Amino acid sequence: MKFHLQLDYQKAERENALNLLHAGGLNPHGPVKIEMVWVAVQTCTAFALVETTDPKAMYELCSRWSDVGKVTVTPVLSASSI
């Protein structure tokens, strides 16, 4: 299944968030495939489209970000599959 991840962080955490991204903070962990990552630096938001069937692996990926900001995970379907 595919998921939309959104990380909202405070301006004071911008450098930490960018450093975590550059250090591989969204590198796949276990059976998680990262399809795309976007960062909206001015609005302090990062987005990712990921795919996995393993909830534990998803939790481990998201928990890396808990010190930086709030992570929201939303299951998504492509418009062509509806």
Side-chain angles (χ1 to χ4, degrees):
M1 178 159 213
K2 293 187 182 188
F3 298 89
H4 174 265
L5 301 183
Q6 180 173 330
L7 170 67
D8 295 301
Y9 54 91
Q10 299 297 315
K11 231 180 219 186
E13 293 293 329
R14 180 180 289 147
E15 290 302 315
N16 290 337
L18 294 176
N19 288 337
L20 186 56
L21 278 171
H22 288 291
L26 278 177
N27 284 350
H29 184 77
V32 177
K33 178 183 174 191
I34 307 295
E35 294 197 7
M36 188 64 75
V37 177
W38 300 268
V39 179
V41 178
Q42 289 187 339
T43 60
C44 299
T45 306
F47 305 95
L49 180 61
V50 304
E51 185 172 1
T52 188
T53 58
D54 186 342
K56 183 179 178 186
M58 177 66 86
Y59 173 80
E60 290 173 2
L61 176 69
C62 293
S63 67
R64 297 179 197 172
W65 292 90
S66 63
D67 290 340
V68 177
K70 177 185 172 194
V71 178
T72 304
V73 180
T74 306
V76 295
L77 298 170
S78 71
S80 61
S81 65
I82 325 182

